[in-house]
Amino acid sequence: MQNPLSTAPSGDSPLVGVLALQGDFREHLHSAQTLGARTVAVRRPSELAAVDGLIIPGGESTAIDKLARSFELADPIRERIAAGMPVYGSCAGMILLADRIQDPTLDLSGHPQETFGGIDMTVRRNAFGRQRESFELDLDFGGLEFSAGRDGDGVAPVHAVFIRGPWVESIGDGVEVLAQLEPAEMPAAATVDSRARIVAVRSGNLLATSFHPEVTGELRVHELFIRMIKGEA
Ligand SMILES: NC(=O)CC[C@H](N)C(=O)O
């Protein structure tokens, strides 16, 4: 059967897969397509095997974890990550790329939710509060130097939308911080202390953001990811 969310091959642009089990995968497909990438919605191991890079969308990390296991995608995704496939995770996708979750949800038999892992970090789910504490702001974001000068002299800030997003509680060696929030930039309910909180990281070929560039028309995070797939960043 033709996959309706695939786009036709064109030239040598990379094939970007978007894990399409739950969450806002359509928005990620749209962002990658707008940048001229070939895309495929990934629901089967054979679709995963064909991609050059994978996006894990925002949504609900417990649901994506369960579905990935029942669709027999979880272990193949872990294997591709171990083999160096570039992966970008936003929000729930960030949680799924973390080696550790501070506060994992337990299923009915007491089994904690799993992640694919790959980034040596601990994340805290729903760290900024619940749905009604969703917020937006402009953020300095490292790694976007390629965009400098397009809208002025420097790199324009990234407009970030946070919807029940995680923050990164701690990182290991080799994890680069691309963006963080100062306490004054967070909803009051989230400012438990005076620490800045990490909201975007890169570790080798893995990229993760607490927020959702796919819902704002901000294309530079996806552009960075496509550059990573091409080996240009
Ligand atoms: N917008 C999102 O992706 C929210 C993530 C969600 N709170 C989770 O833990 O999976």
Side-chain angles (χ1 to χ4, degrees):
M1 192 182 74
Q2 179 88 32
N3 183 330
L5 294 172
S6 297
T7 50
S10 76
D12 60 355
S13 66
L15 182 61
V16 179
V18 182
L19 189 61
L21 302 175
Q22 191 269 339
D24 72 342
F25 55 88
R26 288 180 190 79
E27 286 78 358
H28 280 288
L29 285 162
H30 184 255
S31 296
Q33 287 162 5
T34 305
L35 289 164
R38 295 181 300 136
T39 59
V40 59
V42 171
R43 297 193 183 90
R44 301 161 197 249
S46 60
E47 290 158 347
L48 176 70
V51 303
D52 299 307
L54 182 70
I55 297 175
I56 306 174
E60 183 54 44
S61 57
T62 50
I64 298 175
D65 162 39
K66 268 195 218 127
L67 289 166
R69 283 187 272 152
S70 59
F71 280 63
E72 296 183 345
L73 280 165
D75 284 334
I77 289 173
R78 290 189 183 104
E79 284 159 20
R80 290 288 311 268
I81 289 173
M85 172 176 67
V87 185
Y88 167 44
S90 71
C91 205
M94 170 187 257
I95 296 165
L96 285 154
L97 284 176
D99 282 349
R100 295 167 299 278
I101 302 178
Q102 181 95 14
D103 49 349
T105 291
L106 308 181
D107 67 15
L108 292 175
S109 52
H111 182 78
Q113 71 179 107
E114 294 178 13
T115 68
F116 306 132
I119 303 182
D120 180 7
M121 64 178 177
T122 302
V123 293
R124 181 182 289 275
R125 295 177 60 204
N126 304 312
F128 295 104
R130 308 194 65 79
Q131 187 85 21
R132 66 191 167 78
E133 271 98 41
S134 296
F135 62 105
E136 310 184 11
L137 82 168
D138 289 334
L139 207 58
D140 288 334
F141 193 103
L144 302 182
E145 291 72 22
F146 59 83
S147 69
R150 282 190 203 165
D151 304 309
D153 288 339
V155 177
V158 166
H159 188 68
V161 175
F162 291 81
I163 306 165
R164 288 180 292 109
W167 71 38
V168 179
E169 191 74 32
S170 60
I171 53 172
D173 294 341
V175 180
E176 183 189 355
V177 174
L178 299 181
Q180 47 188 355
L181 285 188
E182 297 300 327
E185 296 174 307
M186 301 174 198
T191 47
V192 285
D193 56 31
S194 58
R195 284 170 64 187
R197 298 294 180 175
I198 299 167
V199 293
V201 294
R202 177 171 177 182
S203 175
N205 274 337
L206 306 177
L207 177 69
T209 62
S210 304
F211 57 89
H212 295 272
E214 72 278 11
V215 303
T216 59
E218 168 61 70
L219 291 172
R220 289 171 299 163
V221 179
H222 291 79
E223 190 175 351
L224 170 64
F225 180 57
I226 290 170
R227 283 170 182 259
M228 286 167 58
I229 298 174
K230 290 179 172 170
E232 295 170 357

